[in-house]
Amino acid sequence: MKAIRFGRLSAVAVVAAGALALSACGSDNPAGSSAPSATPSGPKVTGTLTGTGSSAQSAAVDAWKQGFTQANPGVTVQYSPDGSGAGRKTFISGASQFAGSDAAMTTDELNSAKAVCGPDGALDIPVYISPIAVTFNLPGVTTLNLSADTIAKMFRGQISKWNDPAIAADNSGVNLPDLKITPVHRSDDSGTTQNFTEYLAKAAPSAWTDKSSQTWPASLPGENAKGTSGVVKTVTDTQGAFAYADDSAVSGSLGKAKIKVGSQFVALSAEGAAKAVEISKPADGRAANDLALNLDRTTTDTSAYPIVLVSYHVVCTAYKDQATVDLVKAWENYVVSDAGQKAAASAAKSAPLSSALAAKAKTAIDSIKVKS
């Protein structure tokens, strides 16, 4: 099962205390508010750190760069939000020191990474938890109740009008127009797509007959756009449009669906995303310090929002020299610190890592060493 990403703020203390534990996005993701001033602890480092990957993380990475480089003025952090798949490929090639990815590394990718990282390979470290919004452009309507089955049929073209009886049945009193539904999906390899299709495959298996994948099924109808920002712009510009996108990028007049969990419809929230991560399990067959997760997509716990993404930083277990080790460890320790998580929550509406997961992440980061 694929892993996911991190989420959101509001009641930071509640989320951080309550969230127990805990796949490739595309191009640019709009940044949120500026990060709160926070000074990373630890020894000062210098050098250039290069990362590539998830666009969903983009706003958070900008906040992390600001806080980290303020405390370490001799450091330059370069991050290109080219998508999770591209990020993992660049990392495996040795062209970057870390990858941002909304899906954990596959077994084949972990094996390939040994050529660059040494015999112990790479690690997946969760850094960002975020809900994926099911968003729409429907004049006069800001929220709708939608089940996984209905969502799957809308994306497959089996439900093609907004006033379809299946939608109306769960939305009594809502004035649904006789308007064509235009599904919008990612054109690039995307961890958001992988997480979203994993949700559909698990929660609506009779309607969603494709396997989860970071590539959207080419046979399905609708429009496509590159990156999180491209999807959101297309929906914004198209009446009747309907899409999935990292919530950090969804704003303005776009609506967000409540998702059926058990017998109730649950609104998207940071707390709900954190809860979904909390009740999920570690992925099977991983190394001791690899923190990849399997998310529970079919929970009936109505305090959880199941369309959630856990985004990782993929790092080597060993680098060529001590300077690189020190730089990577300092950066990643800031990212998972309380200050770093608060900065991300402020900039990207993400849910902070729980104290338990942050502690596991720090242990993994501190295990990084120089190649022998």
Side-chain angles (χ1 to χ4, degrees):
M1 189 155 321
K2 313 296 183 190
I4 323 207
R5 118 186 185 187
F6 301 158
R8 217 168 184 97
L9 178 57
S10 78
V12 169
V14 174
V15 175
L20 168 64
L22 345 206
S23 261
C25 286
S27 60
D28 54 334
N29 190 37
S33 58
S34 60
S37 59
T39 303
S41 59
K44 295 291 188 292
V45 290
T46 60
T48 298
L49 184 67
T50 301
T52 305
S54 162
S55 66
Q57 275 189 44
S58 186
V61 171
D62 285 345
W64 291 328
K65 286 166 59 176
Q66 179 181 329
F68 186 67
T69 57
Q70 280 179 350
N72 297 277
V75 171
T76 299
V77 180
Q78 303 171 336
Y79 184 77
S80 182
D82 297 332
S84 298
R88 297 195 302 274
K89 289 176 183 176
T90 301
F91 173 78
I92 290 170
S93 76
S96 65
Q97 285 79 50
F98 75 97
S101 180
D102 303 333
M105 297 273 275
T106 66
T107 300
D108 287 346
E109 288 171 333
L110 289 170
N111 286 332
S112 296
K114 292 178 180 179
V116 172
C117 298
D120 293 329
L123 298 174
D124 299 285
I125 299 173
V127 295
Y128 179 79
I129 302 173
S130 182
I132 298 171
V134 177
T135 186
F136 55 88
N137 180 345
L138 209 54
V141 181
T142 57
T143 188
L144 288 171
N145 296 329
L146 295 175
S147 68
D149 193 71
T150 298
I151 294 168
K153 290 177 179 178
M154 292 168 74
F155 274 107
R156 300 192 78 83
Q158 296 165 354
I159 294 176
S160 59
K161 291 289 188 75
W162 280 104
N163 62 350
D164 186 279
I167 301 175
D170 289 328
N171 292 278
S172 177
V174 178
N175 184 20
L176 296 168
D178 183 13
L179 180 65
K180 176 186 175 183
I181 296 170
T182 301
V184 182
H185 61 269
R186 290 281 290 272
S187 62
D188 49 331
D189 288 356
S190 161
T192 307
T193 297
Q194 182 167 310
N195 282 286
F196 185 66
T197 56
E198 181 181 280
Y199 164 74
L200 293 177
K202 295 295 183 182
S206 61
W208 190 265
T209 53
D210 294 283
K211 293 181 180 179
S212 65
S213 173
Q214 65 182 18
T215 304
W216 189 260
S219 62
L220 298 186
E223 302 293 328
N224 66 75
K226 184 178 180 181
T228 303
S229 60
V231 167
V232 172
K233 184 179 187 305
T234 301
V235 177
T236 301
D237 293 344
T238 309
Q239 281 197 5
F242 174 70
Y244 58 95
D246 185 85
D247 186 53
S248 64
V250 179
S251 59
S253 61
L254 297 184
K256 300 178 187 179
K258 293 181 179 179
I259 305 302
K260 193 168 188 179
V261 178
S263 60
Q264 298 183 33
F265 290 93
V266 175
L268 179 152
S269 70
E271 294 85 354
K275 183 65 176 180
V277 172
E278 174 187 339
I279 61 180
S280 298
K281 306 295 183 185
D284 295 331
R286 316 296 284 206
N289 285 318
D290 189 294
L291 302 179
L293 298 163
N294 281 336
L295 295 174
D296 185 353
R297 304 299 191 178
T298 58
T299 181
T300 58
D301 186 334
T302 55
S303 65
Y305 180 86
I307 316 179
V308 64
L309 175 151
V310 174
S311 200
Y312 301 86
H313 279 177
V314 182
V315 298
C316 282
T317 54
Y319 290 88
K320 62 181 180 179
D321 55 52
Q322 190 65 50
T324 304
V325 169
D326 291 344
L327 183 55
V328 171
K329 289 170 75 169
W331 162 253
E332 296 298 344
N333 271 317
Y334 172 61
V335 166
V336 303
S337 71
D338 183 62
Q341 289 295 295
K342 285 180 178 177
S346 176
K349 303 186 293 183
S350 59
L353 300 181
S354 69
S355 56
L357 186 55
K360 291 179 181 179
K362 179 170 173 49
T363 296
I365 294 162
D366 290 344
S367 72
I368 297 170
K369 61 187 179 181
V370 178
K371 288 181 183 177
S372 57

